[in-house]
Amino acid sequence: MRNVMKTYGRKPVAFTHGEGAWIFDTSGKRYLDALCGIAVTGLGHNHPRVTKAIQDQASTLIHCSNLYQIPEQEALAVKLCQLSKMETVFFSNSGAEANEAAIKLARLYGHQKGLSEPVIIVTEQSFHGRTMATLSATGNRKVQAGFEPLLSGFARVPFGDVEAVRQVALNNKNVIAIFVEPIQGEGGVQIPSPQYLNELRQIADKEDWLMMVDEVQTGMGRTGAWFAHQHNEILPDVMTLAKGLGNGIPIGACLARGKAAETLTPGTHGSTFGGNPLVSRAAMATIEAIELDALLDRATFIGDTITQGLTKRFDGVTSVIDIRHKGLMIGIELDRACAPIVDLGLEAGLLINVTADKVVRLLPPLILDEKQIEFLVSTLSSVITQFLSESK
Ligand SMILES: Cc1ncc(COP(=O)(O)O)c(C=O)c1O
């Protein structure tokens, strides 16, 4: 690893292959993957439909510039727009790039409306990526520290606080958009009140702002709907996707509708790789598999079952502060910092994650079977119990 920049704290394990919810390391040990490469492999590993689409396309045409027509990309855009009721799509290679597109779109839209310094409202504890614009939008000083000067043009409010948004509306006439995650993932699986997005939609309508949702982590079925905002029956003006969109093939997307749909025009934005034939086919196959196997309902069922199981196990355990979830975004908040739980999980054959210091985060695949659900609940319960007793 000497020649790889040390941007990650890596665990001393490497994986050779995966099969469904299982992933295997170089010694042959098997782990239940309840992290999915951080919300990426929602269909599990080595999904036959996705693998076949990649193989087919790789043997035909992997890449073609966006200077030409790309039918596979067009087909994917049509499908995503059908699922989301959005109207146009820009394809990127990652979540941060999808968000860059959204931020640029909002700024350009602001300039077109005569604002020379347009402002986007963002929230505390948010995470939008690590490029300069997206880390400036991110509400976490750890992500920003050392990279100043940050981009200007963001106003920050507490997540879930609608009144704070109203105050900004009163005091700042340069606001052009509000940009939020429907559920904060990196921020600790923070689920706002059911009315939150509806209220933001109302304010955005009243003030003529764009409502932009970052569904990079919450999208593609993870919360039991194609996109988490659909639980609210509202439509955003802009939505970003990545992670689960290609089940591991790098692809992101910025979708827009209505007044935002035609803002980006030739020459205003672009990407060499974005939406090439290979990634577009992989994403289309991912969507088809979610549809064919009715995985949205399955995500809801699995999430409810896991959460009920954990809630039962930790009934009366005061060190477990909260167990919350929407579909398969699950957070178990403890009363103490709990990073070592990840290592205990590894030992026990379980891939999990800790975020926001005290929150054990599960992002399991949408294809877990009953036995795997049981394994996950019982192994995780033991690991948390062990951690709590050793860290007293
Ligand atoms: C909500 C959200 N937005 C954006 C990103 C950044 O995505 P990427 O790492 O693909 O750039 C992430 C990654 O964790 C995320 O959770």
Side-chain angles (χ1 to χ4, degrees):
M1 280 290 180
R2 232 161 43 101
N3 298 113
V4 177
M5 283 195 195
K6 295 186 175 46
T7 54
Y8 307 97
R10 295 177 195 267
K11 301 293 171 197
V13 58
F15 301 104
T16 53
H17 64 289
E19 203 56 57
W22 297 105
I23 189 163
F24 298 81
D25 74 10
T26 44
S27 75
K29 179 173 168 183
R30 159 179 115 145
Y31 305 77
L32 188 84
D33 187 355
L35 181 59
C36 285
I38 318 189
V40 171
T41 51
L43 297 175
H45 300 285
N46 201 5
H47 190 281
R49 194 174 189 94
V50 180
T51 303
K52 181 162 187 320
I54 295 168
Q55 284 170 341
D56 279 359
Q57 194 58 45
S59 65
T60 317
L61 182 69
I62 292 178
H63 181 75
C64 164
S65 166
N66 280 304
L67 293 174
Y68 306 98
Q69 308 289 316
I70 304 181
E72 297 81 5
Q73 181 187 124
E74 276 176 46
L76 177 62
V78 168
K79 187 73 194 171
L80 283 171
C81 287
Q82 278 167 0
L83 295 175
S84 64
K85 301 201 173 83
M86 305 298 276
E87 291 163 20
T88 53
V89 190
F90 172 82
F91 287 103
S92 67
N93 312 289
S94 68
E97 285 178 66
N99 289 341
E100 284 278 343
I103 292 165
K104 281 185 67 177
L105 188 159
R107 285 186 166 202
L108 193 57
Y109 179 78
H111 280 269
Q112 287 168 358
K113 281 186 70 178
L115 291 178
S116 58
E117 305 248 329
V119 167
I120 300 172
I121 299 180
V122 289
T123 65
E124 289 167 11
Q125 278 94 47
S126 61
F127 185 80
H128 298 294
R130 291 184 181 269
T131 61
M132 278 313 304
T134 59
L135 76 80
S136 301
T138 289
N140 180 343
R141 275 303 296 157
K142 277 193 207 155
V143 174
Q144 298 171 336
F147 299 106
E148 297 82 359
L150 303 180
L151 251 70
S152 58
F154 296 103
R156 201 168 300 284
V157 295
F159 185 62
D161 186 343
V162 178
E163 205 36 55
V165 176
R166 289 203 183 98
Q167 283 307 313
V168 179
L170 280 178
N171 298 322
N172 191 335
K173 292 301 159 203
N174 287 327
V175 174
I176 194 64
I178 178 153
F179 189 30
V180 294
E181 296 156 88
I183 295 171
Q184 290 187 335
E186 305 305 301
V189 191
Q190 304 297 344
I191 305 172
S193 90
Q195 286 311 308
Y196 183 52
L197 292 185
N198 297 6
E199 289 173 329
L200 294 187
R201 179 70 269 179
Q202 279 166 14
I203 299 173
D205 284 342
K206 179 164 170 266
E207 303 291 340
D208 200 20
W209 298 342
L210 298 179
M211 177 176 184
M212 313 205 296
V213 287
D214 178 343
E215 296 246 18
V216 167
Q217 190 161 149
T218 51
M220 301 313 294
R222 177 141 298 277
T223 69
W226 278 107
F227 313 108
H229 71 265
Q230 292 177 331
H231 295 291
N232 287 67
E233 292 173 18
I234 50 137
L235 283 177
D237 302 298
V238 175
M239 167 173 75
T240 56
L241 298 173
K243 289 191 180 280
L245 179 54
N247 207 52
I249 293 291
I251 177 169
C254 173
L255 294 83
R257 65 176 263 277
K259 54 194 177 189
E262 308 294 341
T263 303
L264 292 173
T265 50
T268 55
H269 201 45
S271 165
T272 296
F273 295 125
N276 80 16
L278 184 77
V279 300
S280 298
R281 281 286 303 279
M284 186 64 113
T286 303
I287 293 171
E288 287 165 357
I290 294 173
E291 277 181 331
L292 283 169
D293 295 337
L295 293 182
L296 301 184
D297 288 346
R298 185 77 195 153
T300 303
F301 171 80
I302 301 170
D304 290 349
T305 311
I306 293 172
T307 313
Q308 279 158 18
L310 292 172
T311 306
K312 218 163 121 193
R313 299 286 179 110
F314 292 108
D315 185 28
V317 178
T318 52
S319 320
V320 177
I321 307 267
D322 191 22
I323 301 177
R324 49 183 177 259
H325 82 297
K326 188 85 185 166
L328 288 172
M329 276 182 92
I330 304 173
I332 302 124
E333 184 170 344
L334 305 186
D335 65 351
R336 64 198 79 171
C338 60
I341 278 192
V342 174
D343 292 336
L344 297 178
L346 265 181
E347 264 171 53
L350 185 61
L351 301 193
I352 51 175
N353 168 253
V354 166
T355 188
D357 285 343
K358 296 180 179 174
V359 182
V360 180
R361 178 172 50 161
L362 306 179
L363 297 162
L366 286 58
I367 47 99
L368 286 185
D369 66 24
E370 280 25 47
K371 277 208 163 131
Q372 291 164 339
I373 296 173
E374 246 179 75
F375 175 86
L376 172 51
V377 171
S378 67
T379 310
L380 183 63
S381 301
S382 311
V383 161
I384 292 177
T385 307
Q386 182 188 350
F387 170 75
L388 290 174
S389 70
E390 286 173 359
S391 66
K392 259 182 192 154

